[in-house]
Amino acid sequence: MTWSTREVAELSGTTVKTVRYYHQVGLLDEPDREPNGYNKRYEVRHLTRLLQIKRLTGLGLSLAQVAELGTAAHDGRPSLFQEIDAELEATVERIQGIRQELAALSRPGATPDVPATFHDVARPLRDNDRALLTIYAQLFSAESMDTLRGVLAANPHEAVDEAFRDLPADADEATRQALAERMAPFVGANGSVTLEPKATTTRQAEAARNAVGQALQALYSSAQLDVLRRAHELSEAEAKPEAKTKAKPKGP
């Protein structure tokens, strides 16, 4: 028994146009024709091949990959299917992540301007803090961001944070130094969160550092940046053993 182009297309669940395209690209052999030289006669082997192509493309293979596999079962390459499976796994993980973020954004009070896991701790943050969090989430590891979220949730130095956020751009020398001394115990080696970059190469790590530096310059005032610099210097000085004052024995 043989079929026409329309009939074999319907049987295989495709279209006449697709069948003809498979002929053009060499995926499907041309069938014999009726004695009149016009009507094609598709056989079981053609239907089988069309169903094979449909199955493989449905699994995610491109037409080029289908052509590479050939028509016989022993021509299959396990590595190719493993590669496609790995790609699908990554796609599934990405979609799951999207669904989790959409679920988080659907909750009351959620906001799209901070990473999903920070929604419940973002209330006291200003616009510049929120922007920096977004940049951090791109540059630093998930573990680092989880640690940072924990610190924000505990809010151990709320008053100092508020003083830093409210610092006037024209704050005088005394005000800057006093705030830096209050912040010193919570920054640098003494108490700040160590953020591990996602970078896997030196070039990527350097690019991440540059991006953070540019973000700080753009998001915070010169007075705030000056206070951060002073606080880090004070913290580092305190952390050095030689900088600590040794207790002297009392005299008789």
Side-chain angles (χ1 to χ4, degrees):
M1 180 178 181
T2 61
W3 299 282
S4 67
T5 306
R6 178 183 58 79
E7 289 171 334
V8 80
E10 290 178 352
L11 285 170
S12 61
T14 186
T15 65
V16 170
K17 183 178 180 180
T18 299
V19 173
R20 290 172 176 164
Y21 180 71
Y22 290 164
H23 287 316
Q24 292 174 10
V25 297
L27 280 177
L28 183 65
D29 294 338
E30 289 281 355
D32 295 330
R33 293 179 180 272
E34 297 284 354
N36 60 19
Y38 293 101
N39 299 330
K40 294 179 179 179
R41 297 188 301 183
Y42 289 89
E43 302 174 12
V44 170
R45 63 187 178 89
H46 296 103
L47 176 61
T48 302
R49 178 57 172 164
L50 282 170
L51 293 174
Q52 182 190 52
I53 296 171
K54 181 179 180 181
R55 180 191 177 205
L56 292 174
T57 54
L59 291 174
L61 275 72
S62 67
L63 292 181
Q65 289 171 323
V66 173
E68 182 183 345
L69 286 175
T71 58
H74 62 266
D75 288 336
R77 287 198 298 107
S79 60
L80 175 60
F81 297 108
Q82 290 167 358
E83 290 170 9
I84 294 172
D85 183 59
E87 291 173 1
L88 287 174
E89 182 178 10
T91 299
V92 169
E93 290 178 356
R94 181 180 63 82
I95 292 174
Q96 288 176 338
I98 291 172
R99 294 196 65 197
Q100 290 172 359
E101 184 143 2
L102 288 173
L105 286 169
S106 300
R107 297 171 189 152
T111 173
D113 61 351
V114 294
T117 55
F118 285 79
H119 291 162
D120 57 342
V121 298
R123 182 189 58 78
L125 302 181
R126 311 285 171 84
D127 288 345
N128 54 353
D129 298 325
R130 291 166 183 257
L132 190 63
L133 269 184
T134 299
I135 294 171
Y136 276 3
Q138 174 65 22
L139 300 178
F140 299 112
S141 68
E143 293 78 12
S144 295
M145 298 306 293
D146 286 343
T147 302
L148 179 58
R149 184 201 168 282
V151 170
L152 291 176
N155 202 9
H157 36 81
E158 180 177 4
V160 176
D161 288 343
E162 285 302 307
F164 178 77
R165 292 179 182 125
D166 292 335
L167 183 70
D170 59 352
D172 59 29
E173 172 75 16
T175 301
R176 296 185 188 195
Q177 184 62 24
L179 181 55
E181 291 173 1
R182 293 174 63 192
M183 291 181 64
F186 310 117
V187 302
N190 286 336
S192 65
V193 176
T194 300
L195 299 175
E196 296 295 335
K198 294 179 182 177
T200 57
T201 67
T202 302
R203 183 184 64 80
Q204 291 174 338
E206 181 65 24
R209 285 193 293 270
N210 289 339
V212 170
Q214 291 179 31
L216 289 171
Q217 291 286 342
L219 296 171
Y220 295 92
S221 70
S222 58
Q224 289 172 315
L225 293 175
D226 181 46
V227 168
L228 282 176
R229 178 186 59 77
R230 296 180 188 219
H232 277 277
E233 289 176 352
L234 290 169
S235 178
E236 290 171 0
E238 179 65 21
K240 292 179 181 178
E242 63 270 23
K244 295 182 179 180
T245 303
K246 294 182 181 181
K248 295 182 180 180
K250 295 182 179 180

